Amino acid sequence: MTVSATSLRPLLQATNIKKSYGHVQAIRGADFTVYPGEIVSLVGDNGAGKSTLVKILSGTVTPDSGTIEMGGVPIKFEGPTAARSHGIETVYQDLALAPDLDPASNLYLGREIFRPGLLGHLGFVDKKAMIRNAQTQMSKLGVKLKDITAPIGDLSGGQKQSVAVARAAMWAQQIIFMDEPTAALGVVQTKQVLELILRVKAAGISVVLISHNMRQVLEVSDRVEVLRLGQRVARFNAHEATIDDLVTAMTSGTTEVND
């Protein structure tokens, strides 16, 4: 049930990544691969090292050792800004949205468009341009909001998640990491977010999905990579794998499945 090798060059490849916090080894030589135009899920039990690996690959945490390559070229992320400069965006569980600001302002948070001329030099933002571009981005991804000028804090959980994903898709050129994007959402909102993830892939951006929901993982992913105790122990073609396959790999570190 392990996925067969692909002829595509990996978009991102992490090899033998290690990270310790004092005497605790969070990552023990983990490997991870992302190919162009795919949704690959990263799964594992609590403590498997998923969050640490994602933080390393998004520039938030520096590994103790190991190599990271993009397009076959070795790179080092000195911080999240460096990862973003390579076209990587991350949607964390807390979403990092400003609740008092509207969706357009959140899409441009830290990347505001300033008005031309003297007003721009004085710090005046071009709100109309930001709203116009935000509406275009939302429409492209099929995100529907009744009032794009309403504060984020007034939106539903699914709408907030959609805004966070739309922001990442607006700036990502290569990869978006999504950490538990459907956690705490209802059935309808979950369906909307999963459909949004598929539209992000259709736009040509690779998606790394971190989730505990095995059914959702198999529903939207192309491949699944399994971490256990800080190491990659299995890779699956999501269209051929079962939930039992994933659970067996997560709990025992083997892909053998009892008939």
Side-chain angles (χ1 to χ4, degrees), residues 60-76:
T60 305
V61 170
T62 301
D64 296 331
S65 61
T67 60
I68 301 173
E69 297 181 353
M70 289 200 71
V73 179
I75 57 174
K76 288 187 177 181

Side-chain angles (χ1 to χ4, degrees), residues 3 26 33 36 38 43 69 83 94 96 107 140 145 151 153 191 206 252:
V3 69
T33 308
E38 72 167 353
V43 302
E69 297 181 353
D94 64 4
L107 259 65
K140 183 170 66 174
L145 301 176
K191 183 175 184 293
S206 297
S252 68

